[in-house]
Amino acid sequence: MARLIITTTRGKLKVIRSLEDYKDEKNQSIKVISRATDILRVLGQSTTGLSLGQIALRVGLPRSTVQRIVAALEFEGFISIEAGNAGIRLGPEVQSLAQARSSAIRDRLRPLMQQISEATGETVDLAILEGNRMRFIDQVVGSQRLRTVSSIGESFPLTTTANGKATLAALNQTEATKLIIAEFEEYPDTIRDLSGLLTEIETIRAGTLARDNDEHTEGISALGFAIKEPGVEVHAISVPVPTSRFVCKEAELEAALIELRDGFAG
């Protein structure tokens, strides 16, 4: 006689007649969750929204399957379907979860930022990778009278900033190269050395600090490093300094940042 297995879904009782049926249904649920996360990841990589057909192509699923999963995700608020050509985007629930997680790591990294600022007297910025840009989410202002201050929420490119380069080095080579090429294509009139940048990223990946020597903003240089933890977006801490002072303090700044970075990682 087959055993009856009773499960609950959102407070409703559900009877499954055998253990085999239960296992099959469980495997199906895991498969649906896996497909849903694939769709969310694809949407997270797009800044313009995608159509059902584009999503289906990128995740390798039939359009009808994608349509069913998208409908369920929209009902839960994890994606939004906008009118016109805007297409399908990540929804408010995903943004809410991301903000909560970002807030948690911001609180955890603030003591490290304060240590760096106290040790160097300089401003310390915290940025997060969002799409193909770095967005500033926190800052500890330094004690120097002449200092650099960026606005919270402001975004910067990857390939010309210390925090951007540090973040690229924290990604695998394929992801980093894709982002670099995309940024080069976005600014076709700018002469850039792709080979030299890739070599620089490899050096950072090996443990050196990332540098911005007057590359993003004339008169401002910076050092930085990335923090990459399982299940968390890449964050980067950077110390921007007026170049006139950076030239004299570079070795001192580098020693302080490496010591505090390695102590935090340990």
Side-chain angles (χ1 to χ4, degrees):
M1 180 177 178
R3 287 184 296 167
L4 293 180
I5 298 174
I6 300 176
T7 64
T8 60
T9 303
R10 292 189 177 182
K12 297 180 180 179
L13 293 180
K14 184 175 184 181
V15 177
I16 301 174
R17 295 197 171 276
S18 70
L19 182 60
E20 288 71 25
D21 289 343
Y22 174 72
K23 289 179 178 178
D24 287 344
E25 181 153 319
K26 186 176 181 181
N27 288 337
Q28 278 299 117
S29 298
I30 293 172
K31 186 181 293 184
V32 170
I33 292 171
S34 177
R35 289 173 171 177
T37 54
D38 286 343
I39 290 172
L40 290 173
R41 289 191 185 101
V42 164
L43 290 174
Q45 294 166 1
S46 172
T47 58
T48 58
L50 298 172
S51 67
L52 283 172
Q54 289 172 321
I55 296 172
L57 184 64
R58 297 189 188 190
V59 298
L61 291 173
R63 192 178 187 278
S64 57
T65 300
V66 170
Q67 188 170 16
R68 287 197 300 272
I69 296 173
V70 162
L73 290 171
E74 182 190 20
F75 178 77
E76 298 293 346
F78 287 104
I79 66 170
S80 61
I81 302 176
E82 301 181 18
N85 298 323
I88 301 165
R89 300 171 180 269
L90 292 178
E93 283 299 316
V94 171
Q95 295 166 3
S96 176
L97 290 172
Q99 287 171 359
R101 186 165 57 179
S102 180
S103 177
I105 194 167
R106 189 164 58 231
D107 291 343
R108 198 166 83 79
L109 292 178
R110 191 148 240 279
L112 174 61
M113 296 170 63
Q114 289 171 332
Q115 282 183 292
I116 293 172
S117 184
E118 289 168 6
T120 63
E122 303 293 348
T123 295
V124 182
D125 292 328
L126 177 64
I128 185 174
L129 175 63
E130 285 192 348
N132 60 349
R133 303 275 293 182
M134 297 302 296
R135 183 171 65 84
F136 284 108
I137 61 172
D138 199 10
Q139 184 178 79
V140 175
V141 178
S143 58
Q144 298 280 358
R145 291 186 65 186
L146 177 62
R147 56 180 180 258
T148 62
V149 179
S150 300
S151 300
I152 302 298
E154 194 172 356
S155 68
F156 289 90
L158 294 167
T159 63
T160 57
T161 59
N163 51 42
K165 293 178 188 178
T167 296
L168 289 169
L171 304 174
N172 65 51
Q173 188 172 17
T174 301
E175 289 177 296
T177 303
K178 186 185 299 184
L179 288 171
I180 290 169
I181 292 173
E183 189 166 296
F184 279 17
E185 290 175 346
E186 188 177 350
Y187 303 101
D189 297 331
T190 304
I191 300 174
R192 305 296 306 279
D193 178 7
L194 176 59
S195 176
L197 180 58
L198 291 175
T199 299
E200 184 179 359
I201 296 303
E202 282 302 316
T203 302
I204 299 167
R205 194 173 280 134
T208 65
L209 295 175
R211 280 173 167 74
D212 165 8
N213 293 309
D214 277 336
E215 295 171 63
H216 180 255
T217 303
E218 186 177 354
I220 298 176
S221 296
L223 293 172
F225 59 89
I227 304 285
K228 189 175 190 298
E229 299 178 335
V232 179
E233 296 89 343
V234 182
H235 290 70
I237 289 176
S238 59
V239 179
V241 183
T243 300
S244 57
R245 188 163 67 243
F246 183 81
V247 173
C248 305
K249 289 187 63 174
E250 183 175 1
E252 176 189 338
L253 290 169
E254 182 176 8
L257 261 68
I258 289 176
E259 180 181 357
L260 291 166
R261 176 198 68 183
D262 294 350
F264 176 81

